[in-house]
Amino acid sequence: NDEITLAELIEFQPTQLVFSPGPGHPDNDAGISCEVIRHFAGKIPIFGVCMGEQCIFSVFGGKVEVTGEILHGKTSPLRHDSKGVYEGLAQDIPVTRYHSLAGTHLSLPDSLEVTSWISGGPNGGKGIIMGIRHKDYVIEGVQFHPESILTEAGRHMLRNFLNMQGGTWAEDSSRRAPKGSTLANGINGKRDRQIASNGTGSPSQPKHSILERIFEHRKRCVEAQKLVPSQRPSDLQASYDLSIAPPQISFLDRLRQSPYSLSLMAEIKRASPSKGIISLETCAPQQAREYALAGASVISVLTEPEWFKGSVEDLRAVRQSLDGMPNRPAVLRKEFIFDEYQILEARLAGADTVLLIVKMLDEGTLRRLYQYSRRLGMEPLVEVNTTDEMDIASNLGATVIGVNNRNLTSFEVDLDTTSRLMHKVPEGAIVCALSGISGPEDVAAYRSNGVGAVLVGEALMRAADTAAFVKNLLGGALTDRVSSPKRHLMVKICGTRSPEAARVAIEGGADLIGIILVEGRTRYVSRETALAISRVCKTTAKPQAKISKTTARRTTVASEYFEHISDQMSQQSRALLVGVFRNQPLEHVLEQQRVLDLDLVQLHGSEPIEWASLIPVPVIRRFGLQEPGLARRGCHALPLLDSALGGTGKTLDIANVQKTLEADEGLHVVLAGGLTPDNVSKILDQLTDLRPRITAVDVSSGVEEDGKQSLDKIRAFITAAKSTI
C-alpha cells in the first residue's frame, strides 16, 4: 500500500482494482488507497475489502466509527440485496470479520447505498453495515473478508466482481446485457430499457430472466437432494407406500366454500425477488392458524428457499398446525415444480394441492405432472398469464386455473390480466386471481366477472391485524359464521361413589360425572356400582337444559379445535359419564369403556398422548402446567390441569394457569386442583379475560366431608361455579 505511488499504479493501466489496507483508520492509516479511489472512480471497477470498504465510505463523505464489538476471525450471517457481488447468493451466508470500526448509517453519503448488513432488528432490519455500493460508479466495498476460507461463497463474490466492466453502472450494464446479467436492469433496481441494436427500437431481452435463473437453480438443488439417503425418490416412494402422508381434503371442494363472496387463498411469503425481504421472522404455522380463523379457504406456502425464504419444513409445520381444526383450509405447495419428486415430497409433507406453472413447462411435462398429482389425490392449481397459456390449461382439463397478474419475465403487475382472460375460461373451472392484490379496490371487479378466488401474500404478511385486513379486503362480516350460543361453564363432579350422589349432582346442574376406575385408590368404585351410576347418567335429565337448535354451523369457516370440542360438549342434553384411569393397559381402558358405556375417558397418568386416537370416545387428559403436549390438537379432546395424582386438594398456581393459557390463544382447559364451593368463584374471577377459556371445573375432595361425598357440598359447588360469569 505504501510501496507504490499513484503515478506508478496508473502506469500499470489496471482493468479492475481490489484493495484492502490496514489495520487502522481509513483517514490516517490507508496509505494511497483513498487517493486511488478518487482517481479511478468512474473509470474502472473498484472493490474495497475491510478497511478498503471504510476508505470508500470515507472518501465519499461518510463517517467510520467504533462499532462496539471487536471481531478477529469471527463469522456472522450476512443479509444482502442480491445484486452486484452478491448476485446469485443465498441469504445468511457466514462471512469472516476482522474489524472494530464500520461506516455508520446516519452518515451514509447520498452517493452510496448499503448492500449488505448484519441483521439487527425485526424482520431482517439492517444492523452493522457490511457492504456499500456507489450508485453511479462501479465501486463496491465489503467490511468482511471474501477471500477467507471461513467465508461461504467468497469466490463467487470475487467472480461477480471480476465480471464487472467499465467505470459506471450504465457502462457495465450495456456491456454485459447480452450475457443476461441482472445488472442490465440497473444496479439500483431501475429498469434501464436497453434499445436493441437491430434498429427496431424494441427493448432487448436478456437470455435468462430471474424466473429462469430460479428455475435452473431449483433443478440443480432437487437433483442434489435426490442423492441424499432418506430423500432419494425410492425413499419417498417407500414412505408414501406406508400410507403415512397426512390426511388430505379436496382442494376444489374447499375452494368452493367461503364465508365471503370470493374465496381467499392466503399466502405465507417471507420474501420475493421483486419485493425483497417481507418478513423473515414469521412463524409459518402460527400465520397459518391466523389465516384459517380469518376465513381463508386455502393456505399457500412458498417452499423455495433462496429467493422466497421458504421450505418444505414450513409446509409440514403448516399442515401440522391445522390438525384437528374443523373445516380446515386446503394447503397449497407453491413452488417451481418440474418433477414428480417434488409433488410426492409435497404430499408427504401434507399438501392438498401443488402449483404447476404453464410458462415453465412444455406441454408434455405439464400433462405428466398434472396426471401424477391427480393420482396422488391432488387437483393442481394450473397457473397462466396469457391467452395461449389459458388454452393449454383448458386443453389439459384443469379445473382450478390461477391467472398470474404478474408477468414472470418483467415482473410487472397488471391487475386487469385476470379479467381479460375470463372469456377463455373452460366451463366449470374455478379461476383464481394471483399477485398484486392489496386492497378492496383490487378485488371489486373480480366479483362481477366470475373470478372465484384471490391469492394475497405480501399485503397479508404485512397486515397488523389479519382478521381485520381480510374483512376489509373481501367485504363485510363472515357471511356463514353463525354466532355460537353463549357457552356456560361446565361442572364435573369427580370421585362419585354412589348412584344417589350422581343423581343429586345431575339434578343440581352438573354436566360431567366422574368415576374412579383405578383399583387401590380411595375413591375407586366396583363394576356393579359403576354400572348403577352409568344408568343414572343415561336416564336423569339435566335441569333447564338449553340446547342449541343451530345446524350446519361454520360450514365454510375453520374453527379452533379446543373451542369446537368445548361447544359440542356443552350442548349435551344429559350429563356425561367420565371414567378415570391411571397408567392402566389400553386393553383394560377399552373394555371398561365398552362395558360401562362411558361417554368420555380421562387419562390421569403418563399414558401416551396418541392413545386418544385409539379410544372410541373423547379423551380428557391430565397435564401439569406448561407440560409438553398439553395444547396438541387432534388428540385429546381437552387437557385437564391438575396436580400429578389428583384429588389431593392442592390448588394450582393461578399465575401459572394464566401463563399457560396466554401461551396459546386457542387453548381451552378443564381446571381442577383444590377447588371448593367457597373458592371456585374467586379463583375463576382471578383469570379475568381468560375466564372463557375454562371449559369446565373439576372437583373431588372439595365436596367431601370426612372422606365421603357431601350432597350439600355438591349442590353448593355447582351453584357457586354456575353463578360465575
Side-chain angles (χ1 to χ4, degrees):
N1 187 49
D2 292 326
E3 294 182 2
I4 189 173
T5 65
L6 176 59
E8 291 171 331
L9 185 59
I10 293 172
E11 289 182 6
F12 284 133
Q13 298 183 349
T15 58
Q16 282 119 334
L17 189 61
V18 180
F19 58 97
S20 181
H25 194 283
D27 294 345
N28 307 313
D29 307 297
I32 66 167
S33 294
C34 294
E35 188 180 1
V36 167
I37 294 170
R38 295 187 183 95
H39 175 82
F40 284 102
K43 298 183 177 71
I44 61 173
I46 296 175
F47 189 39
V49 174
C50 200
M51 192 199 286
E53 184 259 6
Q54 297 173 11
C55 289
I56 296 171
F57 206 92
S58 179
V59 164
F60 290 100
K63 293 183 179 180
V64 175
E65 298 179 351
V66 175
T67 64
E69 55 181 350
I70 300 174
L71 295 134
H72 187 80
K74 302 293 184 181
T75 62
S76 300
L78 186 76
R79 304 277 175 87
H80 56 78
D81 64 2
S82 299
K83 301 174 185 176
V85 295
Y86 308 107
E87 181 182 351
L89 298 185
Q91 297 290 338
D92 297 319
I93 55 175
V95 295
T96 311
R97 301 168 62 186
Y98 289 84
H99 70 104
S100 59
L101 305 174
T104 63
H105 286 284
L106 292 178
S107 71
L108 179 71
D110 291 339
S111 60
L112 302 180
E113 61 182 348
V114 175
T115 60
S116 63
W117 58 92
I118 300 301
S119 178
N123 297 332
K126 296 179 180 180
I128 295 176
I129 296 175
M130 284 287 105
I132 54 174
R133 180 185 299 123
H134 198 282
K135 294 180 180 178
D136 298 314
Y137 303 147
V138 184
I139 299 178
E140 296 243 19
V142 296
Q143 182 62 74
F144 55 89
H145 286 264
E147 78 283 2
S148 169
I149 194 173
L150 296 179
T151 296
E152 184 177 313
R155 290 189 178 187
H156 191 127
M157 298 180 203
L158 294 172
R159 188 181 304 114
N160 283 341
F161 170 72
L162 293 175
N163 284 332
M164 296 176 184
Q165 302 176 43
T168 66
W169 292 118
E171 186 179 0
D172 173 76
S173 177
S174 63
R175 291 185 183 183
R176 298 205 297 145
K179 297 181 181 180
S181 167
T182 53
L183 298 183
N185 285 329
I187 197 68
N188 298 316
K190 300 176 182 177
R191 294 188 183 90
D192 299 327
R193 303 185 72 186
Q194 303 300 320
I195 304 302
S197 60
N198 57 16
T200 64
S202 61
S204 62
Q205 294 294 330
K207 290 184 179 179
H208 299 291
S209 67
I210 181 64
L211 176 65
E212 291 169 326
R213 288 202 303 277
I214 296 173
F215 203 65
E216 290 303 316
H217 179 72
R218 293 302 295 145
K219 286 182 177 179
R220 292 193 298 271
C221 290
V222 169
E223 288 307 310
Q225 183 176 319
K226 287 181 178 180
L227 301 176
V228 178
S230 80
Q231 298 186 57
R232 297 167 299 187
S234 59
D235 297 322
L236 267 59
Q237 187 61 51
S239 296
Y240 182 77
D241 290 343
L242 290 173
S243 298
I244 62 174
Q248 63 194 130
I249 61 175
S250 168
F251 169 49
L252 183 62
D253 290 346
R254 189 62 182 89
L255 200 56
R256 287 176 172 147
Q257 302 171 25
S258 175
Y260 301 104
S261 56
L262 290 174
S263 293
L264 173 64
M265 305 173 73
E267 188 159 87
I268 296 173
K269 183 178 185 179
R270 292 193 178 94
S272 75
S274 60
K275 297 294 184 179
I277 300 301
I278 296 172
S279 178
L280 288 179
E281 309 306 319
T282 292
C283 172
Q286 179 181 345
Q287 191 81 358
R289 284 185 181 171
E290 290 183 12
Y291 286 168
L293 297 174
S297 298
V298 178
I299 295 176
S300 170
V301 185
L302 277 153
T303 60
E304 194 285 322
E306 302 298 331
W307 283 267
F308 294 89
K309 309 306 173 194
S311 69
V312 173
E313 287 307 311
D314 279 341
L315 181 68
R316 183 174 289 108
V318 164
R319 177 61 186 84
Q320 290 173 346
S321 75
L322 304 177
D323 272 350
M325 181 176 282
N327 204 42
R328 71 168 176 84
V331 178
L332 162 70
R333 180 184 189 182
K334 197 174 183 189
E335 171 66 280
F336 300 90
I337 289 179
F338 50 84
D339 193 312
E340 288 89 343
Y341 176 88
Q342 297 166 286
I343 298 174
L344 181 57
E345 181 184 43
R347 180 75 282 276
L348 284 168
D352 300 297
T353 182
V354 296
L355 175 70
L356 298 179
I357 305 174
V358 172
K359 180 180 180 62
M360 303 310 300
L361 302 167
D362 63 76
E363 290 190 48
T365 301
L366 174 64
R367 184 169 296 277
R368 192 183 76 243
L369 296 177
Y370 179 82
Q371 293 173 346
Y372 178 75
S373 179
R374 295 194 71 186
R375 287 201 300 273
L376 297 187
M378 298 189 293
E379 180 67 34
L381 171 64
V382 179
E383 179 185 308
V384 304
N385 178 253
T386 67
T387 55
D388 289 342
E389 291 173 7
M390 180 65 84
D391 287 339
I392 292 173
S394 179
N395 293 333
L396 185 66
T399 59
V400 185
I401 299 174
V403 179
N404 199 337
N405 294 316
R406 188 186 305 279
N407 183 300
L408 293 179
T409 299
S410 67
F411 275 79
E412 294 180 347
V413 173
D414 180 359
L415 291 175
D416 291 332
T417 303
T418 299
S419 299
R420 285 197 300 269
L421 295 183
M422 287 304 296
H423 71 286
K424 302 280 288 183
V425 178
E427 185 177 355
I430 295 179
V431 172
C432 310
L434 317 178
S435 295
I437 298 165
S438 59
E441 66 281 359
D442 298 330
V443 302
Y446 296 148
R447 288 194 180 90
S448 59
N449 60 22
V451 172
V454 292
L455 184 144
V456 185
E458 179 190 351
L460 264 175
M461 293 291 290
R462 298 187 189 278
D465 185 327
T466 299
F469 177 88
V470 172
K471 179 180 177 181
N472 180 62
L473 177 75
L474 298 179
L478 300 181
T479 59
D480 198 52
R481 187 186 287 277
V482 179
S483 297
S484 302
K486 187 173 182 180
R487 186 172 63 242
H488 64 268
L489 177 69
M490 300 176 69
V491 173
K492 174 171 174 271
I493 303 298
C494 201
T496 303
R497 281 161 278 179
S498 71
E500 182 186 9
R503 183 174 293 105
V504 167
I506 296 170
E507 290 175 347
D511 305 278
L512 304 160
I513 302 298
I515 53 175
I516 307 300
L517 300 174
V518 185
E519 290 191 46
R521 297 296 301 274
T522 304
R523 301 177 180 91
Y524 169 73
V525 294
S526 67
R527 175 171 292 190
E528 180 181 1
T529 301
L531 284 169
I533 294 173
S534 178
R535 286 192 292 270
V536 170
C537 290
K538 308 300 180 182
T539 59
T540 305
K542 291 166 62 177
Q544 300 177 341
K546 296 180 180 180
I547 310 304
S548 171
K549 302 299 182 182
T550 302
T551 58
R553 291 179 57 248
R554 298 184 179 179
T555 56
T556 64
V557 185
S559 57
E560 272 285 7
Y561 171 76
F562 291 119
E563 179 184 12
H564 173 78
I565 295 293
S566 298
D567 284 346
Q568 295 301 308
M569 289 178 61
S570 68
Q571 294 302 304
Q572 300 302 312
S573 60
R574 63 171 178 82
L576 303 177
L577 180 62
V578 184
V580 181
F581 301 87
R582 186 171 187 274
N583 296 332
Q584 291 152 281
L586 177 61
E587 292 76 10
H588 175 74
V589 175
L590 295 174
E591 179 194 17
Q592 293 289 86
Q593 186 279 322
R594 178 181 56 82
V595 171
L596 301 177
D597 195 15
L598 300 176
D599 297 304
L600 293 94
V601 163
Q602 179 174 318
L603 300 177
H604 214 86
S606 56
E607 298 87 352
I609 288 178
E610 55 265 34
W611 273 19
S613 63
L614 303 174
I615 297 172
V617 294
V619 171
I620 296 174
R621 190 182 189 282
R622 187 212 67 83
F623 286 91
L625 292 171
Q626 301 174 359
E627 183 178 332
L630 183 151
R632 177 67 183 264
R633 273 75 164 170
C635 292
H636 43 274
L638 286 169
L640 180 143
L641 302 181
D642 197 359
S643 60
L645 293 176
T648 62
K650 183 178 180 181
T651 304
L652 294 177
D653 184 340
I654 293 301
N656 285 331
V657 172
Q658 290 176 314
K659 289 180 181 178
T660 299
L661 293 173
E662 288 169 350
D664 188 328
E665 293 182 359
L667 181 62
H668 291 245
V669 302
V670 178
L671 182 64
L675 300 178
T676 69
D678 297 327
N679 70 12
V680 62
S681 180
K682 179 180 178 181
I683 287 175
L684 290 171
D685 287 344
Q686 291 179 48
L687 293 171
T688 60
D689 293 343
L690 298 172
R691 158 64 188 82
R693 307 258 297 279
I694 305 298
T695 296
V697 288
D698 184 314
V699 65
S700 180
S701 62
V703 292
E704 294 179 345
E705 287 183 351
D706 300 324
K708 296 181 180 181
Q709 283 186 307
S710 165
L711 302 184
D712 289 338
K713 283 194 172 183
I714 289 175
R715 294 187 185 96
F717 182 86
I718 296 170
T719 299
K722 295 283 187 178
S723 67
T724 61
I725 299 176

